[in-house]
Amino acid sequence: MLKTSLLYILLTLTLAFPSFGQKAPIVLVDQGSFAVGGKVITAPGTFDPIAHGAFNPGNQSSAGQTLHGDHAYVFYQVPKNSKKLPLIFWHGYGQFSKTWETTPDGREGFQNIFLRKKYPDYLLDQPRRGRAGRSTVAGNISAAPDDQLWFGIFRLGVGTAFYPGVQFDKSPETLDQFLRQITPDTGPIDFNANTAAVTALFDRIGNGILVTHSHSGGQGWLTALKTDHIKGIVSYEPGSNFVFPEGSVPEPIPYVGGVLKAVGVPMDKFKKLTQIPIVIYYGDYIPAEPVENPAQEQWRAALQMAKRWTKTVNENGGDVTLVHLPEIGIEGNTHFPFSDLNNIQIAELMAEWLRQKGLDK
Amino acid sequence: MLKTSLLYILLTLTLAFPSFGQKAPIVLVDQGSFAVGGKVITAPGTFDPIAHGAFNPGNQSSAGQTLHGDHAYVFYQVPKNSKKLPLIFWHGYGQFSKTWETTPDGREGFQNIFLRKKYPDYLLDQPRRGRAGRSTVAGNISAAPDDQLWFGIFRLGVGTAFYPGVQFDKSPETLDQFLRQITPDTGPIDFNANTAAVTALFDRIGNGILVTHSHSGGQGWLTALKTDHIKGIVSYEPGSNFVFPEGSVPEPIPYVGGVLKAVGVPMDKFKKLTQIPIVIYYGDYIPAEPVENPAQEQWRAALQMAKRWTKTVNENGGDVTLVHLPEIGIEGNTHFPFSDLNNIQIAELMAEWLRQKGLDK
C-alpha cells in the first residue's frame, strides 16, 4: 500500500513537473507581461453609469463607451547575465505563445531552452488571438471539427496515420496536447493590426531578434519593413506573403488546393530586408514535385517560393540562409521543428547561426 | 545628443523592465505549460485527406474529423526550495491569467510576489478563455464598446471619474493596460466544463490552494465539492454562486440592476466546504445600504450574501474568515485588490492567513 502510494506520488510528480530536478535552475532577474499597440474605438452617445451600469449580457448599451482592442500581448523573461538582444517569438496560424513553451510530449520548448542560453525572451500573442483576445471587430468562432486537417497541414502525417520516422511522440496524450494548442481568432485576422502591434512592441523594447513560425513568417517580413529594431530574423517554415521588389514579383505558384502569391513593395522598402541576417528552416515531408496530398502541396509551394525569395534578397545584397533540414541530414521534422523530438538539435542550429551572425553578444 | 540617447535608452529599459535590477532574482527549478481536462467531439462521416485536406477557410468539410476543446490551460512555475502546496490562480469574468501577472501600472503582481515567497504557482485560463480558446460549442464575439461598464463594475469609479482615494494609478497608460486585460469568451461560459477542467488539474498536480477572483469564486466552491485536493481557498470578491445546504438556501437578494441567487446542494456535499480553511476579501466602495449605482449595488448584494454564507459554513463546523478590507483600515481597493497600488499589503494579508492555517509548509 505504502509502495503503491509512493509510486503514485512519483508518477504524479513526473507528470506534473516533467523536467523537475533534471536540469539547472533558471535564474530570472525579471519577468512580466504587458499589452502593446492596439486601438481604441468609441460608440456615439453618452454613457450613463446609473441607467446602463448594470451587467446585462446581450442587452447592454454601448452609448458613449470605449473599447480597447487589437493590441498584442507579451510575456517576457530576462535571465541573469543575459545577452543584449532578446528573442521575440511569434506564433503561427491558429496558434499562440504555447508554440514555444513545453512541447506536446512534456519536454522543454524554445522558451526554456533559450533562457538557458541567456537570451531574454518575449512570447507574444498577436492581436485577436490567445491572451490578446479583445478585438475592435466582431467575430464568429466555429466549433466545426478540423483536427485532422491540421494533422495533415502541420505534417504529422496523412489522415490519422503518422509519417514513418516522424519526430513526434506517437502516444495519444502527446497528440491530445498538440491539438489543444490550437486556438481560434477572436476577430478577423488583420495583417495591418498585427504588424502595427509588433512594431509597437519593438518601439517599446528596442533592438531584438524576431523568431517567426508559419503564418507569422510573412508578417515578419512585413514588420521588418516598418521598424529598424529587428536585427535578425529566424523563420520556421514561412508559408506565405514573401515580399519582393515591385517589378520582380514572381508568378504565383499553383499547387493542389490553392495558389501561392507573392507580394510586391517598392525597392527602397524591400532593401530593408537585405540589411539584416535572416535564416529560414523547413522540415521534412515536403515533396520536390507535385503530389496529390494538398497538405504537402502547400509546403512544396512555400519552399519553392522561399528559394526564389532567398535568391532575390541575396542578389540585392542580402544575407538569407535557407535550410531545408533533410538536405543537411536532419530528417523527420514536422511543421513544428522547435517542439519536435529533436528540438534540442534544432535549437543548436539556431544558436549557432545567431553566433555566426554576431547576434549572441 | 549623446545625453538624449542615453536618457532614451534608460527610459526604454525602465518601461520595458519596470523592476529590472531592483529585486532579487527569481530562481526556478521548473516552468512549463499544459492543457488539462476538456472534451473531444467528432463529426459524423469519414475524413478524406486528399479531397478535404486543403486549407479552405469558411468552406471546410468536417466529415470524420475531431475537435479537442473545453480544456483549461495552465502555466506553472516552481521556485527553488519551494513550499509543498502550490497556489492555483483562477481569474474572473472577462479576464484571464493576466489578472495575477504584472499590474496595470507595471509593478509585480501576485505571480512574482508569491514566487518570491516560495510558492509554486499555476496560472490557469478557464475553458473558452485566453489560452484555452478552443471550444466545442460555437460562439459569437461582440465588439460593442463596454469599457466604462467595467470601469464601474470593477469599482475604479463611476462613469469615467475615479473614486476619491482609489488604490489605482490614474495615468492614462495604466488605465489603457487595465482595459486591455479584458478578453472575450470563445464559446458560452459553461460552469460544468470549467469545474471539470479545474478538477482535472487538481487530479494531475495533487494537493494545492485555490485562489479565486470574482466569477471564479462561485466556481471555486463548486470545484471544491468535486475534489479532495483543494486544501484551502483564498477568494477575492466572489460575486455569485454561493453554495448552501438544501433547505437552508437564503432568499435571493434584490439589488438595483439584478437579483443575486444562492445555490443549494445536499448537506453531505456542502460539508466538504466546512473541511478546509477559506478566506474571503472584499475591497472598498461597497455600500452597506442600497444606492442608485448598479455597479456598486452588485457588490453590496455579493458582500451581504458572503456574510450569510460565512455564517452558514461556520455554523456547520467550517473555517471561513470574511475580511471587508475597509473594516480593518485598508481603504481604496477596487475589485482587483491583488493588483491595486497596495497589493504588497494585500499579499502580506494572504501570506499571513496561509501561515495561520498551516498551508505554508
Side-chain angles (χ1 to χ4, degrees):
Chain A
M1 186 57 201
L2 181 65
K3 242 186 188 167
T4 315
S5 297
L6 276 173
L7 247 171
Y8 179 75
I9 289 166
L10 276 172
L11 190 67
T12 306
L13 275 174
T14 310
L15 285 170
F17 310 114
S19 59
F20 192 94
Q22 293 166 13
K23 298 212 166 73
I26 292 173
V27 182
L28 300 175
V29 295
D30 197 14
Q31 71 171 7
S33 62
F34 54 85
V36 66
K39 282 194 288 194
V40 181
I41 59 172
T42 308
T46 306
F47 177 62
D48 180 343
I50 305 307
H52 300 128
F55 181 47
N56 195 2
N59 192 24
Q60 208 84 48
S61 167
S62 281
Q65 298 202 63
T66 62
L67 182 147
H68 288 60
D70 299 353
H71 46 272
Y73 165 97
V74 289
F75 179 69
Y76 68 87
Q77 295 186 301
V78 184
K80 196 175 173 183
N81 303 321
S82 74
K83 297 178 188 290
K84 262 186 221 156
L85 292 178
L87 299 170
I88 291 83
F89 288 100
W90 191 349
H91 58 77
Y93 188 91
Q95 303 283 315
F96 64 106
S97 60
K98 174 65 174 153
T99 294
W100 315 103
E101 301 173 3
T102 306
T103 64
D105 52 84
R107 293 169 302 107
E108 290 196 327
F110 270 27
Q111 178 182 36
N112 285 12
I113 290 171
F114 280 91
L115 283 173
R116 295 186 186 285
K117 292 182 188 296
K118 303 291 184 190
Y119 286 92
D121 67 7
Y122 289 74
L123 269 58
L124 81 86
D125 289 355
Q126 74 186 24
R128 306 177 184 175
R129 187 79 59 79
R131 291 169 289 187
R134 189 81 151 168
S135 167
T136 64
V137 179
N140 295 311
I141 295 181
S142 163
D146 60 359
D147 286 340
Q148 284 65 39
L149 173 76
W150 296 112
F151 185 92
I153 291 175
F154 293 159
R155 300 203 318 284
L156 275 60
V158 181
T160 55
F162 285 99
Y163 286 123
V166 69
Q167 295 274 5
F168 191 92
D169 172 61
K170 296 189 189 68
S171 74
E173 293 75 19
T174 296
L175 186 58
D176 183 90
Q177 286 288 321
F178 181 77
L179 292 170
R180 293 182 190 282
Q181 294 186 191
I182 299 173
T183 202
D185 293 299
T186 55
I189 291 184
D190 180 335
F191 273 27
N192 285 331
N194 295 349
T195 56
V198 178
T199 301
L201 171 61
F202 278 98
D203 286 346
R204 173 166 169 165
I205 67 175
N207 295 341
I209 301 152
L210 182 63
V211 186
T212 62
H213 176 224
S214 194
H215 203 228
S216 66
Q219 296 188 82
W221 317 139
L222 295 169
T223 306
L225 303 180
K226 292 187 175 185
T227 174
D228 293 325
H229 288 305
I230 297 177
K231 296 305 177 189
I233 300 180
V234 179
S235 187
Y236 288 95
E237 301 223 337
S240 57
N241 290 89
F242 285 92
V243 174
F244 289 81
E246 282 168 0
S248 310
V249 181
E251 289 296 306
I253 303 176
Y255 59 91
V256 174
V259 174
L260 180 60
K261 291 177 193 161
V263 178
V265 296
M267 178 56 95
D268 64 319
K269 279 201 162 186
F270 172 80
K271 274 283 185 182
K272 289 202 78 167
L273 292 166
T274 68
Q275 288 155 13
I276 52 171
I278 294 171
V279 65
I280 301 174
Y281 298 100
Y282 285 94
D284 208 341
Y285 315 110
I286 302 176
E289 301 297 328
V291 294
E292 65 170 4
N293 178 6
Q296 286 176 285
E297 275 286 283
Q298 158 173 1
W299 301 113
R300 179 181 65 78
L303 177 54
Q304 192 178 326
M305 186 68 88
K307 284 178 179 171
R308 289 194 199 176
W309 188 76
T310 299
K311 193 160 172 283
T312 302
V313 180
N314 289 346
E315 281 171 359
N316 282 279
D319 176 15
V320 182
T321 306
L322 175 58
V323 182
H324 187 196
L325 293 168
E327 290 177 13
I328 61 166
I330 301 178
E331 297 182 336
N333 279 109
T334 73
H335 184 51
F336 291 66
F338 36 76
S339 60
D340 281 342
L341 288 172
N342 61 343
N343 72 336
I344 297 285
Q345 184 181 20
I346 300 298
E348 289 307 327
L349 273 186
M350 171 173 151
E352 174 57 21
W353 179 85
L354 292 170
R355 197 193 58 73
Q356 282 171 14
K357 301 303 172 186
L359 299 170
D360 66 334
K361 304 302 173 201
Chain B
M1 184 60 200
L2 181 65
K3 242 184 188 169
T4 315
S5 298
L6 276 173
L7 248 171
Y8 179 76
I9 289 166
L10 277 173
L11 191 67
T12 307
L13 276 174
T14 311
L15 286 169
F17 310 112
S19 59
F20 192 95
Q22 294 166 12
K23 297 213 166 74
I26 293 174
V27 182
L28 301 175
V29 295
D30 197 14
Q31 72 171 6
S33 62
F34 54 86
V36 65
K39 282 194 286 191
V40 182
I41 59 172
T42 308
T46 306
F47 178 62
D48 180 343
I50 305 308
H52 300 128
F55 182 47
N56 195 3
N59 193 23
Q60 207 83 49
S61 166
S62 281
Q65 298 202 63
T66 62
L67 182 147
H68 288 61
D70 299 352
H71 46 272
Y73 164 98
V74 290
F75 178 68
Y76 67 88
Q77 295 186 301
V78 184
K80 196 175 173 181
N81 303 321
S82 74
K83 297 178 187 292
K84 262 187 217 154
L85 292 178
L87 299 170
I88 290 82
F89 288 100
W90 190 350
H91 57 78
Y93 188 91
Q95 303 283 316
F96 64 107
S97 60
K98 174 65 175 151
T99 294
W100 315 103
E101 301 173 5
T102 306
T103 63
D105 52 84
R107 293 170 302 106
E108 291 197 324
F110 271 27
Q111 177 183 38
N112 285 11
I113 291 171
F114 280 92
L115 283 173
R116 294 186 185 286
K117 292 183 187 296
K118 303 292 185 189
Y119 285 92
D121 67 8
Y122 288 74
L123 269 58
L124 80 86
D125 288 355
Q126 73 186 24
R128 307 177 184 174
R129 188 79 58 78
R131 292 170 290 188
R134 189 80 149 168
S135 166
T136 63
V137 179
N140 295 311
I141 295 181
S142 162
D146 60 0
D147 286 341
Q148 284 66 38
L149 172 76
W150 296 113
F151 185 92
I153 292 176
F154 293 159
R155 300 204 318 283
L156 275 60
V158 182
T160 55
F162 285 99
Y163 286 123
V166 69
Q167 296 274 5
F168 192 91
D169 172 61
K170 296 189 189 69
S171 74
E173 294 73 19
T174 297
L175 186 58
D176 183 272
Q177 286 288 321
F178 181 78
L179 292 169
R180 292 182 190 283
Q181 293 187 188
I182 298 173
T183 201
D185 293 299
T186 56
I189 290 184
D190 180 336
F191 272 28
N192 284 330
N194 295 349
T195 55
V198 178
T199 301
L201 171 62
F202 278 98
D203 285 346
R204 174 167 168 164
I205 67 176
N207 294 343
I209 301 150
L210 182 62
V211 186
T212 61
H213 176 224
S214 194
H215 203 227
S216 66
Q219 296 189 82
W221 316 140
L222 295 169
T223 306
L225 303 181
K226 291 187 175 187
T227 172
D228 293 326
H229 289 304
I230 297 177
K231 296 304 178 189
I233 299 180
V234 179
S235 188
Y236 288 95
E237 301 224 340
S240 58
N241 290 90
F242 286 91
V243 175
F244 289 81
E246 282 168 359
S248 312
V249 180
E251 289 297 304
I253 302 176
Y255 59 92
V256 174
V259 175
L260 179 59
K261 292 178 191 159
V263 177
V265 297
M267 179 55 97
D268 63 322
K269 279 199 162 188
F270 172 81
K271 275 282 185 185
K272 289 202 78 167
L273 292 166
T274 69
Q275 288 155 13
I276 52 172
I278 295 172
V279 66
I280 301 174
Y281 299 100
Y282 284 93
D284 209 340
Y285 315 110
I286 302 176
E289 300 298 327
V291 293
E292 64 169 5
N293 177 6
Q296 287 176 286
E297 275 287 282
Q298 156 173 1
W299 300 114
R300 180 181 63 78
L303 177 54
Q304 192 178 327
M305 186 67 88
K307 284 178 180 170
R308 290 195 198 173
W309 188 76
T310 299
K311 193 160 173 283
T312 303
V313 179
N314 289 346
E315 281 172 356
N316 282 279
D319 176 14
V320 182
T321 307
L322 174 59
V323 182
H324 187 195
L325 293 168
E327 290 176 14
I328 60 166
I330 301 178
E331 296 183 336
N333 279 108
T334 73
H335 184 50
F336 290 67
F338 37 76
S339 61
D340 281 342
L341 288 172
N342 62 342
N343 70 337
I344 297 283
Q345 184 181 19
I346 300 298
E348 290 306 327
L349 274 187
M350 170 172 152
E352 175 57 21
W353 180 84
L354 291 170
R355 197 193 60 72
Q356 282 172 13
K357 301 303 171 186
L359 298 171
D360 67 333
K361 305 302 174 203

